[in-house]
Amino acid sequence: MRMSIFRQAYLAIIFAIFAVGCGTVIEGFPSHEESSIVVVGDHAPDFTATTIGGQSITLSALRGEEVLLVLFSHECPDCKMFLDDMQAAKAEFDELGVVILLVARDGESGVVEAYMSENGYEFDVVADPDRAIYNLYATTYVPRAYLIDKEGYVVYATVEYNPNYVKDILERLLQELIRSL
């Protein structure tokens, strides 16, 4: 059965939108570096937001704590894999005293709350439907994770999904802990 040219074009467009939205670099779209506004060594841009649980959070108020800021989309399969890995390692993050804050770009509060509940994620999350927070850090691609040190500087950053990222973040946190002793 042959597919019409219209249907082929339609499917190609849908694939391109999905791939760019989740993190796959496609020719003609910006590279990870080009799409990154904040990189390792930068001071993490400050913001104030309200979690879906109703708690007001200001990033700069978390100085003195190590923060893992994760930018994701509730519609992105790579983001789900990353968040699954994060949830599996939650006990380790808790033991290290890391503040974890998720920011759901494009998601309305109700949708994000349902997504978190359905997947059993136990993190503070902010809905960012207009991408106000996301746009401080990047122009495209999710998931993204930023490990922010106690002084507010980004010491580790990831783009897209890699099954080793959570392990790498935990190792980096352990290095920071050892350095502070």
Side-chain angles (χ1 to χ4, degrees), residues 128-141:
D128 188 24
D130 60 358
R131 294 188 180 194
I133 298 169
Y134 179 82
N135 288 338
L136 295 172
Y137 287 81
T139 60
T140 54
Y141 306 117

Side-chain angles (χ1 to χ4, degrees), residues 58-87:
T58 299
L59 186 62
S60 61
L62 298 174
R63 294 267 164 72
E65 306 278 346
E66 289 180 313
V67 177
L68 181 58
L69 177 66
V70 178
L71 309 176
F72 76 100
S73 170
H74 67 283
E75 298 176 327
C76 168
D78 285 351
C79 297
K80 182 178 181 329
M81 288 188 291
F82 185 75
L83 294 179
D84 287 346
D85 292 351
M86 294 275 304
Q87 186 63 46

Side-chain angles (χ1 to χ4, degrees), residues 43-44 58-68 96-99 147-153 173 176-177 180:
H43 197 266
T58 299
L59 186 62
S60 61
L62 298 174
R63 294 267 164 72
E65 306 278 346
E66 289 180 313
V67 177
L68 181 58
L96 290 168
V98 179
V99 175
L147 182 57
I148 302 167
D149 71 10
K150 294 178 179 184
E151 287 78 39
Y153 289 92
L173 284 163
E176 293 292 319
L177 179 64
S180 70

Side-chain angles (χ1 to χ4, degrees), residues 28-46:
F29 288 92
S31 68
H32 291 155
E33 293 78 19
E34 293 168 332
S35 69
S36 297
I37 295 169
V38 175
V39 296
V40 171
D42 288 349
H43 197 266
D46 196 22

Side-chain angles (χ1 to χ4, degrees), residues 36-181:
S36 297
I37 295 169
V38 175
V39 296
V40 171
D42 288 349
H43 197 266
D46 196 22
F47 60 85
T48 299
T50 303
T51 67
I52 59 173
Q55 177 187 3
S56 179
I57 292 183
T58 299
L59 186 62
S60 61
L62 298 174
R63 294 267 164 72
E65 306 278 346
E66 289 180 313
V67 177
L68 181 58
L69 177 66
V70 178
L71 309 176
F72 76 100
S73 170
H74 67 283
E75 298 176 327
C76 168
D78 285 351
C79 297
K80 182 178 181 329
M81 288 188 291
F82 185 75
L83 294 179
D84 287 346
D85 292 351
M86 294 275 304
Q87 186 63 46
K90 187 171 185 319
E92 287 103 322
F93 283 114
D94 289 348
E95 198 172 307
L96 290 168
V98 179
V99 175
I100 297 175
L101 179 61
L102 277 52
V103 175
R105 74 165 198 195
D106 303 326
E108 296 293 335
S109 289
V111 172
V112 174
E113 186 172 18
Y115 175 81
M116 298 294 287
S117 177
E118 289 167 12
N119 289 289
Y121 300 140
E122 301 169 340
F123 302 108
D124 285 329
V125 62
V126 170
D128 188 24
D130 60 358
R131 294 188 180 194
I133 298 169
Y134 179 82
N135 288 338
L136 295 172
Y137 287 81
T139 60
T140 54
Y141 306 117
V142 285
R144 289 178 176 266
Y146 298 89
L147 182 57
I148 302 167
D149 71 10
K150 294 178 179 184
E151 287 78 39
Y153 289 92
V154 175
V155 295
Y156 186 79
T158 68
V159 181
E160 291 193 292
Y161 173 72
N162 178 312
N164 294 318
Y165 280 160
V166 169
K167 179 181 71 74
D168 294 346
I169 292 167
L170 286 167
E171 286 177 6
R172 183 61 188 242
L173 284 163
L174 285 170
Q175 290 171 1
E176 293 292 319
L177 179 64
I178 291 168
R179 249 188 290 235
S180 70
L181 296 177

